[in-house]
Amino acid sequence: MHLARSLGAVAIIIVAASVPAGAQVQAVNDPLPDPIRKGDLIVEATEFVRVPRTEESALDPITNPAYARIQYLTPIGDGSGRLVLNDLRGVLYITDERGMEPVAYMDIRTLDVGFDDSMFPNETGLVGVAFHPQFADAGAPGFGKFYTAYSARSDSGYADYLDDDAGSHESVIREWTADDPAANVFSGSSREVFRIGQFAPNHNIGVIAFNPTAAAGSPDHGLLYATLGDAGAANDPRDFSQSLRVPHGAIIRIDPLAGDGSKAYGVPADNPFVGEAGVAPEIWAYGLRHAQQFSWDTDGRMFMGDIGQNFVEEVNLGVPGANYGWRLREGTFATGYAVGARRPGRVYPLPAQDDQAFVYPVAQYDHGEGNAIGGGFVYRGRAIPTLRGKYVFTDFPRGRVLYIDADGLVPGQLAEIRELRLVLNGQEQDLVDVAGFPNTYGSGARVDARLGIDSAGELYLLTKGDGWVRKLEPAQSR
């Protein structure tokens, strides 16, 4: 059966399986048996820029020998055509849409802000950057301001949340004010905006971003979104994603320029849980395990990927106030916590009817096809007409580039996923064969592939194994 309800402007169709009440529930051994096939779409991934090699801060054997831990590429948004590129190891680069040699805009390792990525270099470090939409507007409150999300020593500041449960480190959002917004090397000042404790080294803060579709004067203009993982370990042992008392396992939405003295930021009055007792008012949506990346389509819809535990990777639409189900749900399946299983880690059919409203994915795949979704963008550029209207995303460990039709999506009604065919170095081949490097998590090679975007909506492929940024372009006839 289906349970339907409405959240905001999005109609939610909630899928439930036909498991009668009282029936013995058996684990699902192969949640999604149909393979992801390569589609008809083919693009060329052309070498664009390469960042310098960086070194790991720790020699922990769980890490891997990435050339550079490049994570995201995004436009500054000041009309200059400049792009900003972050390396988790602590360096923020500036390049541009013409392929300028990357310049180190900032090396956060050299600044006295408590930066530390040694506890888990695969996930911690300089994980996000966002430039205020007024960055280039002289005289505006956001002039010269941009924000970074990074990992910090727990003794380097006092956390807004979980200062007493920060045994590993703390996740921080810091505001920087550039003396000259047009400069390609930063000089200026900074202040801390937000800090939260992390009891474990993984599932930290991820992307931070301003909604690029929010026009000046609109309610969403100048509000900063950030994604926070469930704080780590496995199976959300603190149950943060469902608790709402702290903003882990959530996307938060704050006004970084509206601090009132008690906090360095403001909480928008139209956040969905403002005024509810015992609920962190910063929360915009929750029930997420580790939604490292999100983005907006040109029509204002938010797309995000949520990394699964053992079985299912999700593509979701962002809905204010939504509960995406973790740790009671993984994709369109129940977890052991939902069915009373003694041990977590398996998935089960959904009950005949949900006892609360969950928002389910618009697409999903299992670990037979990939290991961790990296997020992506809806392509609205002009260079590749056949790709327009597709949400393009990666499974980043395996380096697969995947896509779905972005239009007409309804949560709970699952779209078909296809794999994008890539031409690399003049021939169609898999990315892992070009940019793979040794995998310390398992057998074979990994790629650590992410996607970036420029001001025209064109897409770029980032690979940690070789430090290259490649631009997606129409495949040439051969």
Side-chain angles (χ1 to χ4, degrees), residues 249-286:
I251 290 178
I252 64 171
R253 178 177 179 253
I254 62 173
D255 185 343
L257 300 180
D260 61 2
S262 62
K263 288 187 179 296
Y265 60 92
V267 175
D270 61 348
N271 271 9
F273 301 107
V274 167
E276 293 194 22
V279 177
E282 299 89 346
I283 294 175
W284 185 80
Y286 68 107

Side-chain angles (χ1 to χ4, degrees), residues 2 6 26 56 76 182 209 219 224 239 247 255 289 294 311 321 328 343 346 349 361 379 400 424 436 446:
H2 293 80
S6 176
Q26 299 296 323
E56 208 81 298
I76 289 179
L224 184 65
D239 197 24
D255 185 343
R289 181 176 177 269
F294 55 84
F311 287 95
L328 301 175
R343 296 180 63 186
R346 307 297 300 276
Y379 181 71
R400 299 182 75 180
L424 296 145
R446 65 183 288 136

